[in-house]
Amino acid sequence: MEKTPDVAQDDASVATNETLKWNQKRAESLTHEEFIKEVLKLRSRPEPQKPWWLRLLETSGGAALITVLIGGLLGQIISMSIQKSLKERERELAAYTKFLDQGSETIKHAYALIGSCISAADNLISITGDEFNEDTTPELRKQKLEILSKFSEVNTKWREEQHGLGLLMRYYHHNAAGVTDAWKNVQDSNVQYMECAADLIYEHNHGGKTNQTVVACKQKKDALIKSLDVLATSVETYWKEIQTSKSP
């Protein structure tokens, strides 16, 4: 019996559907197979090798070695830090010691210069005495000229250095009022004594009466000596205060 066209069409449609279902099942099966293959590949791969330092740390000997190395490195860092700190302190101490030495030299130079001024003024006053009359021996006249020349030399040196010494006094004593004021009094007293000696020799050479001037010069010299004592006390007090402030 021959199939009608409608029946034949229905059979073809059924066959096509069956084919599609089979192809879909096959595709799913192939996909599953590919997935399994990939999983097996991943499982079959060797584990990544650990870095050498990690393998070393995992051993007891390696951990001990690392501990020693780190401990030694930290020790070196601490030692270097301490040495650096000590060197800085040594440099600071050396600079401070140099500062003190220079300040001490300034004081010594100031006292030496003023001592020369006092000596020159004393000698200048002395030649107004009777033993240095013009009618005396040539040796005394020569000595008189030497005294006059020395006074002029010292007076010039004092005028050149007094203000510089004043600045150094301020610098090395951090502008401490006690020291700077005391130095100012020394300056003024020294100038007054030297001027008095110069006035005295002028009066003597021009036939004036010198008795009152001699007395006045003695008073000015006494004032100068007293001002030097005050300066010494002021400097000593200043450095005692510095040491006290730095003590723990």
Side-chain angles (χ1 to χ4, degrees), residues 103-123:
S104 177
E105 288 300 320
T106 298
I107 294 290
K108 290 179 182 179
H109 180 66
Y111 271 85
L113 180 57
I114 294 172
S116 298
C117 292
I118 293 173
S119 177
D122 287 346
N123 291 335

Side-chain angles (χ1 to χ4, degrees), residues 142-184:
K142 179 181 178 182
Q143 186 178 355
K144 181 179 179 179
L145 291 174
E146 290 175 349
I147 289 173
L148 288 168
S149 177
K150 184 64 175 179
F151 179 85
S152 177
E153 175 188 336
V154 172
N155 188 40
T156 299
K157 187 174 180 63
W158 166 252
R159 291 200 310 272
E160 291 174 347
E161 297 188 17
Q162 62 169 321
H163 297 298
L165 284 172
L167 293 174
L168 291 175
M169 285 287 183
R170 290 174 178 270
Y171 174 72
Y172 288 114
H173 298 89
H174 303 95
N175 205 26
V179 176
T180 55
D181 291 344
W183 172 250
K184 182 65 170 56

